[in-house]
């Protein structure tokens, strides 16, 4: 299941976890260093899995984590932190 989220989806979940007020697709693309099309497609997929909800902020689309998305993102952040510890220790 996690592989269906893809790298872009995982990056977006981690970014939105650190940005609880949500972000526009343009902000997500810029901060996650991906094209707008990639960010948009990944957000749509995350929305399909009910991990992200998309609303409007003026003309822009604003993406934010759902409760389920926050739960998944917390676990991903914990794994990410642990991997940093492991690789930092071995360096």
């Amino acid at each position: 299941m996690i592989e269906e989220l893809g790298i872009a989806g995982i990056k977006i979940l981690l970014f939105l976890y650190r940005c609880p007020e949500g972000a526009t697709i343009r902000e997500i693309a810029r901060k996650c260093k991906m094209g707008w099309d990639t960010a948009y497609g990944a957000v749509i997929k995350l929305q399909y899995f009910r991990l992200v909800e998309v609303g409007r902020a003026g003309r822009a689309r604003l993406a934010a984590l759902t409760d389920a998305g926050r739960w998944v993102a917390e676990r991903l952040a914990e794994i990410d932190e642990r991997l940093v510890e492991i690789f930092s220790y071995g360096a």
Side-chain angles (χ1 to χ4, degrees), residues 39 59 70 90:
R59 293 181 59 208
R70 186 165 323 288

Side-chain angles (χ1 to χ4, degrees), residues 27-60:
E27 291 171 322
I28 291 169
R30 187 170 41 87
K31 296 285 186 171
C32 294
K33 297 181 179 156
M34 61 182 70
W36 187 90
D37 290 348
T38 301
Y40 180 77
V43 166
I44 294 301
K45 186 176 282 190
L46 293 171
Q47 187 178 23
Y48 173 79
F49 288 120
R50 297 186 182 131
L51 299 175
V52 166
E53 56 191 5
V54 179
R56 289 271 180 195
R59 293 181 59 208

Side-chain angles (χ1 to χ4, degrees), residues 68-85:
R70 186 165 323 288
W71 186 90
V72 170
E74 281 178 11
R75 278 31 185 207
L76 289 171
E78 290 170 6
I79 292 166
D80 190 53
E81 289 170 13
R82 183 66 179 125
L83 288 171
V84 167
E85 288 174 10

